[in-house]
Structure formats: structure tokens, C-alpha cells
Amino acid sequence: MRFGGVENVILGAVHKGCSSGYAIKQLVDDATRFFWAASYGQIYPELRRLEEEGLIVGSFGHTGARERTEYTLTDAGRARLREWLLEPSAAYELRDEGLLKLFFADAVRGEEAIGVVRNMRAERERILERLRAIDARGVAKGFPALALEYGIEQHEWMVDWCRRVEARLAAKDEGVAA
Amino acid sequence: MRFGGVENVILGAVHKGCSSGYAIKQLVDDATRFFWAASYGQIYPELRRLEEEGLIVGSFGHTGARERTEYTLTDAGRARLREWLLEPSAAYELRDEGLLKLFFADAVRGEEAIGVVRNMRAERERILERLRAIDARGVAKGFPALALEYGIEQHEWMVDWCRRVEARLAAKDEGVAA
DNA sequence: TGGGGCATGTAAGTAGTTACATGATTGT
DNA sequence: ACAATCATGTAACTACTTACATGCCCCA
């Protein structure tokens, strides 16, 4: 089943001006990794595949005397990107160890369950900090305002949810103890 | 790099009373798939691995005359589950095509960008409905209240966020048109 | 003169999905 | 008698990560 995972990341990144595999990887690590990761092992082979398909073209360039391949979108590539952007999305996959633990948290005692939520909050707070740091150093790195805003506000919501639940569980625990 | 993905799902599921691979897969499809998926191709081999490791034991059982293997946790298995639940989590991975599109949405015109957000909202609403359906038919299926509550409230937040952004983009569009 | 960044790549491995095969059982 | 569900599994494949190899460039 062809899923086209990296394809769209690369098309989008090249559109944004990332001309080398290295530059694409940087954009991924700085930004898209929060909702779509990619490694060199995917990027370089996929760049060649996309060139074969005629969606991008590479030309020889250089930084000083150091060689690099400079990719740009072809008309077909731009059309493909546009088409993909306008069609409804299907892929939404989450792998969240914190939630998985919350799901199984009835296997530990009440006070310990609070710890599960607290740990979950701590993770979210770490991610939130990283997102805010990106925000602080500006949109310079190519992180569009909307996607970043979404990330920050969602993590704020998550932290808040955890806090509320912690309070509820603590109240319940006291009730039991009393 | 050993990551132990399925291990914890299985340990938790068996603790919850899922005794067969089939029952585990049902719990996964009904519930954990929203934050941690698993397929038969992982579950059955992993069950044998966990038995070898002494974390679960299987015995021959039957439903009528139909054979099945009934797994239960060993003390070591219970200890491992507990240990995992109490330690801080690391894994948080998201693959969200909607957000990826939002990130690259400046490649299309303003009104079209609203469509990107609208599509994103539609997906969230679909998921939200499925979560609410689980809620309606009760916690019977083994979905603990907290994890389900989290899923529902988070998706409500997401839908709301999309709505707010749609309004903002629409206002901006009008401003440009005027 | 050496460390960090730029730049391109691949081999080996892990993780995970899909699609199929098999067959009994239960309820209608 | 038929469909749906229970139940167990695997082969082939796709996707993805990690770790490594290579070497130049720039700046302090």
C-alpha cells in the first residue's frame, strides 16, 4: 500500500525554499517533526524518486566550492502539492505513552495514579517549552504562525487538563482517606 | 534499539482481563488504537516472547470446544507493568496530515487555506463522533473513563480551534477583498 | 588546527501493516 | 444453511530509524 508519507513533506519543503536534502532535514527537525517526522534514510532516496517522477528537478549548485544538489519544484510538482493540500486528509496517528498509561492506570493505587497524570503533564510541559522557544526566536525558521500557534495552544490545553484531573484525583483520594 | 512498543499494551490488556490474542486485538481496536495501535502480526509473536520472558503464562482453554490460549500475568509481569506505569514516559509521536497541510497552507490562496482548516475540522469531528459513540454505549467495552474523557475533550478543543481560525481567516479574506 | 556545521549517502536492522489461510462456533 | 464472530497464525511487504562513512568549509 503506497502511502506517500515523505513525498508531501518534501514537496512542501522544496516549495518553501529548501533546496537540498540537508535543508529539508533541518526544516523537518525544527518544525514538522512535531506532527510529521522524516529521516535522511527516507529523504535522499525519495528525492531521487520524485525527480524520476518529474515532480522536482535537481541541478548542481555549490556553497563555496562544496557541491550540493539544488532542487526546485516542476509545474507537475506544484500541481501535485496543490492537489494534495486541497484534498481531505486521512492520516491521523498518535502514539502517546502517557495516554496509554492513563488508560491502564487502574492497575496502580489512587495516589500512584496521580503520579501517572503528573508525569504526563511534565512531558507536555517539556514539549510546550520547546514550542515556545521556537516562537520566541521568531517565525524565521520557517514555522508558519498557524501551525505553531496550534501546537502551543494545544499543549497549553493538555497541561491544563492534566492539572484539573490531578486536582480531582487528589480530592477523591482525600475523600477516601477521610 | 529495543523500544518495547507492544509489550506494554499486552501487559496492560492481560491485566484488564483480555486472555487471548483475539481479545487483546479487540481492546486495541475499540480503545487503545486512538493513542496506540497494534496488529495481529505484532500481538501473537509478542505474546510468545512475553511468555518466554516469564511475564505471562498461557494455558489451554476453550470456548465450547473451540481452543484458545488463556494468558494471565505472572508476578514478574505484574511487577513489570507497575514499574512501567510509574516511570516517566518518553514516547509521544504524532503523524497528522491535517497539521502538515496547515503548515504548508501558504502554498494556496487565502480562501483555499480556509478549506484546509475546514477539512481538518471535518476529520476531527469524525473522530469525536466515534469517541462519543463509545462513551454512549458505556464504559462497558473497557475504556476507562479518564482516557476517554481526555480524548473527547481534546477533540472538542481541536474542533473549536479550527472554527476560531476559520472565522479569523474569513475575516482577513474579507478585509483583503474590500 | 580543530570543532562544528554543511552535505550526501547507505546498510542493517526494527517495527509495523496487509492480506491471506484455516477452521470451529453461535445465532438466525 | 448462512453469516458473523471467535480464534490463531504467518509471509510478504512497506516504512522508518540508527549508525556509520565520507569529506569539505568556515571560523575562532
Side-chain angles (χ1 to χ4, degrees):
Chain A
M1 179 175 271
R2 177 107 213 94
F3 183 48
V6 241
E7 177 178 315
N8 303 309
V9 179
I10 292 182
L11 256 24
V14 173
H15 173 87
K16 261 197 144 52
C18 297
S19 52
S20 66
Y22 185 82
I24 292 168
K25 176 60 171 158
Q26 274 185 121
L27 182 73
V28 165
D29 287 346
D30 278 0
T32 73
R33 105 186 120 108
F34 292 105
F35 41 86
W36 206 291
S39 67
Y40 282 126
Q42 295 172 267
I43 292 168
Y44 282 109
E46 185 72 2
L47 279 169
R48 265 167 283 146
R49 227 216 64 219
L50 290 174
E51 188 169 24
E52 258 176 60
E53 248 201 277
L55 301 175
I56 57 177
V57 263
S59 60
F60 294 102
H62 35 80
T63 307
R66 187 199 297 138
E67 279 179 30
R68 58 202 297 263
T69 312
E70 285 178 332
Y71 289 100
T72 45
L73 289 183
T74 61
D75 286 342
R78 254 181 299 275
R80 174 71 67 87
L81 176 62
R82 196 186 138 73
E83 194 190 354
W84 169 73
L85 280 169
L86 298 181
E87 92 199 0
S89 313
Y92 179 82
E93 271 163 65
L94 180 61
R95 224 137 234 260
D96 185 341
E97 215 183 340
L99 261 184
L100 189 62
K101 282 179 185 173
L102 189 66
F103 185 82
F104 290 130
D106 47 0
V108 292
R109 273 174 298 121
E111 330 98 72
E112 290 173 327
I114 298 180
V116 174
V117 183
R118 249 197 289 268
N119 282 335
M120 193 168 146
R121 175 160 59 86
E123 297 157 50
R124 300 315 207 251
E125 279 168 346
R126 249 189 319 272
I127 298 175
L128 183 53
E129 260 170 62
R130 267 191 285 161
L131 290 172
R132 285 214 247 251
I134 295 169
D135 199 28
R137 82 171 188 263
V139 184
K141 280 299 212 170
F143 213 136
L146 266 185
L148 183 56
E149 190 183 311
Y150 178 92
I152 290 175
E153 288 179 23
Q154 188 186 47
H155 277 83
E156 281 168 351
W157 179 89
M158 285 163 162
V159 167
D160 193 59
W161 187 89
C162 288
R163 243 191 264 281
R164 261 150 39 212
V165 168
E166 282 165 48
R168 247 166 63 194
L169 291 179
K172 209 163 113 197
D173 237 40
E174 260 173 60
V176 169
Chain B
M1 180 175 272
R2 177 104 213 97
F3 182 50
V6 241
E7 178 178 315
N8 303 309
V9 179
I10 293 182
L11 256 23
V14 174
H15 174 87
K16 261 196 143 53
C18 298
S19 53
S20 65
Y22 184 82
I24 293 168
K25 176 60 170 159
Q26 273 185 120
L27 183 73
V28 166
D29 287 347
D30 279 0
T32 73
R33 102 186 124 106
F34 292 106
F35 41 87
W36 206 291
S39 67
Y40 282 126
Q42 295 173 266
I43 292 168
Y44 282 108
E46 184 72 2
L47 278 168
R48 266 167 282 145
R49 228 216 63 219
L50 289 174
E51 188 167 24
E52 258 176 62
E53 250 202 275
L55 301 174
I56 57 176
V57 262
S59 60
F60 293 103
H62 35 79
T63 307
R66 188 199 295 138
E67 280 179 28
R68 59 201 297 261
T69 312
E70 285 177 333
Y71 289 100
T72 44
L73 288 183
T74 60
D75 286 342
R78 254 180 298 275
R80 174 71 67 87
L81 176 62
R82 196 187 138 72
E83 193 190 356
W84 169 72
L85 280 170
L86 298 182
E87 92 199 0
S89 312
Y92 180 81
E93 270 164 65
L94 180 61
R95 217 135 239 264
D96 184 341
E97 214 183 341
L99 261 185
L100 190 62
K101 283 179 185 173
L102 189 66
F103 185 82
F104 291 129
D106 48 0
V108 292
R109 274 173 298 121
E111 329 99 72
E112 290 175 327
I114 298 180
V116 174
V117 183
R118 247 197 289 268
N119 282 335
M120 193 168 146
R121 174 159 59 87
E123 297 158 48
R124 301 315 207 248
E125 278 168 347
R126 250 189 317 273
I127 297 175
L128 183 54
E129 259 171 63
R130 269 191 284 160
L131 291 171
R132 285 213 247 252
I134 295 169
D135 199 28
R137 81 172 186 261
V139 183
K141 281 298 210 172
F143 213 135
L146 266 186
L148 184 55
E149 191 183 310
Y150 178 93
I152 291 175
E153 289 179 22
Q154 187 185 49
H155 278 84
E156 281 168 351
W157 180 89
M158 286 164 162
V159 167
D160 194 60
W161 186 89
C162 289
R163 244 191 264 280
R164 262 150 38 213
V165 169
E166 282 165 48
R168 248 167 61 194
L169 291 179
K172 209 163 111 194
D173 237 42
E174 259 173 60
V176 171

